[in-house]
Amino acid sequence: MTSDRSTPDRTTPNRPAQSHPRSHTGADLPGPRGPATPYRMTVTTALPHADAVALADEHLASWLKREGYEEPTPAARSRAGSPAAPDPAERLRLGERVLLDRDHGPLRGGPDTGRYDRRRLRTPAPHGTQQLTLTVATAADGRTWVRLEAETHSTGSGVRTPCRVPVPELTRSLLPLLDAGDGPAAVHPVPRVITADEVDGLIDELCDPERRMPTVVASVPVNLPLEGWVEDVVGPLCHQLPGLATAYVLDPGARTAFNVALEYHTVYGGAVRTYLPEVDPASRTDGARHPVLARSRIEQDLRRAAALLAREPRRLAADQPLPPPLAAVPVLRVPPAQLRRAAGHPVVRAEPAARAARSDHAERVELAELALEEQQDRAEQQARADELERVRRTLRLERHDRRERSQNREGHDPREVREGRLRSGARALTGRHCTTSGVGPAFGQHAAAPAADRCGKPESFTELMARLGEFPLLTFTGDQKTALALDELRRTGAGWARLAWDGLTALQEYAEAAVRGTAGGDFKQWCEHTPEGCHRFPPRKAVRGESRTVFSHTKWKRERMLPVPECVDASRRAFMGAHLRIGGGRTAPRLHYLDDCSGSGRIYVGYIGLHLTNTRTN
């Protein structure tokens, strides 16, 4: 069930003319050379579970009808929206060698963990079988995941097959209707043009820790029109990316703003860059992770360039561990009665006389078909087990590499010296602390040194608020409820909490230097030129102040008039326009603060929560 066929590309391309450390080069994806590389899409959907399943069934039936196969009978549904069929799995025979398996039920761990619906379609292909599996899994917290896999099972190891399974038609038809997402990003089937006003949102997406898919950003040559380049080049170039990556095109204004903001991750001159998850805009070294496809390679052979561009997203889709709800989906098992029914034989037990009358030839055909189905099921389960083990090995190697890098950094960053300096600085500043009664809890006024390295990052805002005492020079003056409410957004809350912790850690280290007069500027400049041995926070996520529109709008300005001690302002309120971007997307959490290191010797955090009102949220 596919819509395009890719030409194998085994040529190692030359390094692109644009001077970036890494390009789209290298060998084919890991694994045996015989089987085609499978297609795997994993997204979230804003639709309810039952609506997502019904939509998938509708499009699957429509495709089967267009291909000339029988349409499957509708799955019976209870009032709650889950199938009411007595069998845990059913098999429908829709044509010669065309089988549709449907099952549903609770996730492993019991009904309280969530539920799933699955469709597995097998259709004939030259020298083998094409298999498409669609799974919809909803966790107990209500978040729904959609997984679509397409693969080819060859009948023999010596058969020559395409090097990759094409993007299924079902992907292109479902994506616009699912309201699909990947962390903060909406997943579209075609590239979307970005204007200068949308650059900040794009950068937030690139840096968001919850993003799983690569993000492909295309530039337009300065001497060519945007519309023509998008239609003639970028569209065909991204034809193999639906469901594997999100794609954007920078218009001229956005290109300038984007490259100014990301000096180590630029893209220009008609080149296309693939941004892998966890972008660090302030790191020159990180820029080497994100491959570039130069304009010269694109124009030399557009079809081969499209295959090169899809290589990294396919690799990442294959290597990414499954989200917990999808990992908890049990293995599909079709009962023997269903296997016999699909083979065209009655399920009831035959009488001895009738059984004796059956021909030996029909009996052999039945046994052969059942044996073939059982063999395919065993092969699929073994492939899943092999894939899981490969992912585990990859993750172990990555963890080992991270530990080595961390140990190397610690060799240049004596922790004991830094913590000892912090403790002495905190004792020297204790006499300068002003009372914070009446403006909220003053966490950490006489606390010990930060323990971020010792205790690790918090996994929730509840834990973060409880550990604010680890930052002696930071005082939280706001309402804890707005921060704790972020934990209710479980799908991204942990990533936001860790990013907020990174920001607070960087603010603490900046405050230590600022009270000594060695910071060299404000917090924004500190992030842009972080001293060796200090925690780095992305400069693009550190904002000096709000726009003139927000400052001049009475209601919006009042929202940012946040509590401070009387020694800072007699009204016990101060405008906190400086803030940290804690996430991207519509909710876009923010941390607002006031830098008073030159006065009281402290930084006051007045708000942690969802984005306050502005021109975009209003």
Side-chain angles (χ1 to χ4, degrees):
M1 179 179 173
T2 55
S3 61
D4 61 337
R5 294 191 177 274
S6 304
T7 301
D9 176 37
R10 297 185 178 88
T11 301
T12 302
N14 297 325
R15 184 175 295 275
Q18 187 171 344
S19 58
H20 287 289
R22 179 183 172 192
S23 61
H24 281 283
T25 59
D28 283 337
L29 293 171
R33 295 183 60 85
T37 303
Y39 171 91
R40 293 188 174 94
M41 176 190 79
T42 305
V43 297
T44 58
T45 176
L47 297 180
H49 181 99
D51 292 351
V53 175
L55 187 65
D57 283 342
E58 177 185 347
H59 283 257
L60 190 59
S62 176
W63 181 85
L64 286 167
K65 183 177 181 179
R66 290 197 307 270
E67 292 295 313
Y69 301 127
E70 296 181 22
E71 290 188 66
T73 57
R77 298 204 167 268
S78 65
R79 293 181 181 179
S82 60
D87 289 332
E90 61 175 341
R91 169 161 291 181
L92 305 177
R93 189 182 186 93
L94 306 178
E96 184 66 25
R97 294 177 59 201
V98 180
L99 300 175
L100 175 63
D101 298 325
R102 302 189 296 203
D103 73 326
H104 68 279
L107 300 176
R108 290 200 304 266
D112 294 338
T113 60
R115 59 178 175 144
Y116 77 94
D117 278 79
R118 174 167 45 198
R119 308 289 184 260
R120 185 178 69 180
L121 177 67
R122 287 174 173 172
T123 56
H127 308 292
T129 301
Q130 288 183 340
Q131 177 172 294
L132 184 138
T133 306
L134 187 141
T135 308
V136 180
T138 300
D141 61 4
R143 192 180 188 192
T144 299
W145 292 84
V146 178
R147 171 89 164 177
L148 183 62
E149 302 172 82
E151 48 201 334
T152 299
H153 298 294
S154 176
T155 55
S157 58
V159 176
R160 184 178 181 86
T161 60
C163 67
R164 63 183 65 84
V165 176
V167 177
E169 269 188 32
L170 196 60
T171 297
R172 303 185 192 277
S173 62
L174 278 181
L175 273 181
L177 305 176
L178 282 175
D179 195 7
D182 172 42
V187 180
H188 302 287
V190 295
R192 188 168 73 86
V193 176
I194 293 293
T195 64
D197 291 338
E198 298 172 301
V199 167
D200 283 348
L202 174 57
I203 294 176
D204 281 344
E205 286 184 15
L206 296 180
C207 301
D208 196 289
E210 299 303 316
R211 181 169 65 93
R212 292 167 53 93
M213 287 184 182
T215 298
V216 173
V217 179
S219 61
V220 180
V222 294
N223 59 335
L224 295 179
L226 172 67
E227 295 78 9
W229 184 260
V230 171
E231 181 178 355
D232 298 336
V233 178
V234 180
L237 187 65
C238 297
H239 186 67
Q240 300 181 30
L241 295 182
L244 299 173
T246 54
Y248 299 98
V249 183
L250 301 174
D251 73 4
R255 181 189 65 241
T256 301
F258 185 87
N259 289 329
V260 168
L262 298 179
E263 59 177 323
Y264 302 133
H265 302 73
T266 56
V267 58
Y268 52 86
V272 176
R273 191 160 197 171
T274 301
Y275 295 89
L276 303 179
E278 300 181 10
V279 172
D280 184 357
S283 171
R284 185 189 300 271
T285 304
D286 181 71
R289 289 198 308 120
H290 311 285
V292 175
L293 189 60
R295 178 185 176 184
S296 58
R297 287 291 297 172
I298 297 171
E299 294 181 327
Q300 180 182 357
D301 190 334
L302 185 57
R303 187 174 182 180
R304 176 164 291 181
L308 286 171
L309 187 63
R311 181 177 294 171
E312 194 70 4
R314 286 209 177 223
R315 181 198 65 79
L316 194 62
D319 291 345
Q320 280 274 24
L322 288 173
L326 288 170
V329 174
V331 174
L332 190 149
R333 298 186 183 278
V334 181
Q338 293 286 350
L339 292 174
R340 291 179 61 85
R341 185 181 297 127
H345 298 285
V347 180
V348 297
R349 185 182 300 275
E351 295 297 328
R355 188 165 57 249
R358 181 183 297 170
S359 68
D360 293 339
H361 176 70
E363 187 74 24
R364 285 195 297 270
V365 170
E366 175 188 0
L367 294 176
E369 289 181 341
L370 294 179
L372 176 61
E373 294 302 324
E374 183 181 359
Q375 181 182 4
Q376 289 179 334
D377 286 341
R378 285 200 306 267
E380 180 183 1
Q381 293 177 20
Q382 184 60 49
R384 293 286 186 273
D386 294 341
E387 177 187 359
L388 180 60
E389 181 59 27
R390 181 170 57 83
V391 170
R392 286 172 175 167
R393 287 198 300 268
T394 302
L395 292 177
R396 280 199 298 268
L397 291 174
E398 289 178 353
R399 284 195 294 267
H400 178 71
D401 290 343
R402 283 198 297 269
R403 282 196 299 268
E404 285 189 343
R405 290 195 296 268
S406 177
Q407 291 170 357
N408 291 336
R409 285 196 299 268
E410 289 172 0
H412 300 283
D413 180 16
R415 192 176 301 170
E416 296 81 3
V417 174
R418 184 172 68 251
E419 292 181 352
R421 186 170 67 245
L422 174 59
R423 282 192 290 269
S424 63
R427 286 194 296 270
L429 290 167
T430 301
R432 301 175 62 183
H433 294 172
C434 50
T435 179
T436 58
S437 59
V439 297
F443 289 92
Q445 210 159 2
H446 300 284
D453 290 335
R454 297 194 303 271
C455 301
K457 298 179 183 180
E459 294 297 319
S460 68
F461 281 92
T462 301
E463 181 184 354
L464 182 146
M465 299 305 291
R467 292 175 56 186
L468 280 178
E470 298 177 21
F471 302 107
L473 302 185
L474 307 185
T475 298
F476 182 73
T477 63
D479 187 350
Q480 294 191 47
K481 293 179 181 178
T482 59
L484 300 180
L486 296 175
D487 285 339
E488 298 178 6
L489 304 173
R490 297 183 184 179
R491 65 185 182 90
T492 47
W496 288 343
R498 292 191 292 269
L499 189 57
W501 187 262
D502 289 340
L504 292 169
T505 303
L507 280 171
Q508 169 65 34
E509 293 178 340
Y510 160 75
E512 296 173 37
V515 296
R516 295 194 303 269
T518 60
D522 59 8
F523 181 65
K524 173 78 171 180
Q525 293 171 298
W526 175 272
C527 294
E528 292 172 343
H529 308 283
T530 305
E532 184 72 24
C534 293
H535 290 78
R536 184 181 296 276
F537 188 77
R540 286 297 305 175
K541 289 187 174 291
V543 182
R544 285 193 174 97
E546 297 285 10
S547 65
R548 182 176 301 178
T549 303
V550 171
F551 189 81
S552 59
H553 194 290
T554 304
K555 180 182 177 181
W556 299 348
K557 180 179 179 181
R558 185 165 57 247
E559 288 183 1
R560 293 158 176 79
M561 295 294 296
L562 298 168
V564 292
E566 189 173 2
C567 64
V568 176
D569 192 287
S571 66
R572 294 193 173 183
R573 292 274 171 175
F575 181 75
M576 296 192 186
H579 60 273
L580 308 183
R581 295 189 180 112
I582 302 304
R586 297 176 182 177
T587 49
R590 296 293 188 260
L591 183 154
H592 286 258
Y593 67 93
L594 176 70
D595 181 358
D596 195 46
C597 291
S598 60
S600 61
R602 305 186 64 76
I603 291 177
Y604 299 94
V605 179
Y607 178 83
I608 302 176
L610 294 179
H611 201 309
L612 296 173
T613 310
N614 66 3
T615 54
R616 295 183 180 179
T617 60
N618 189 30

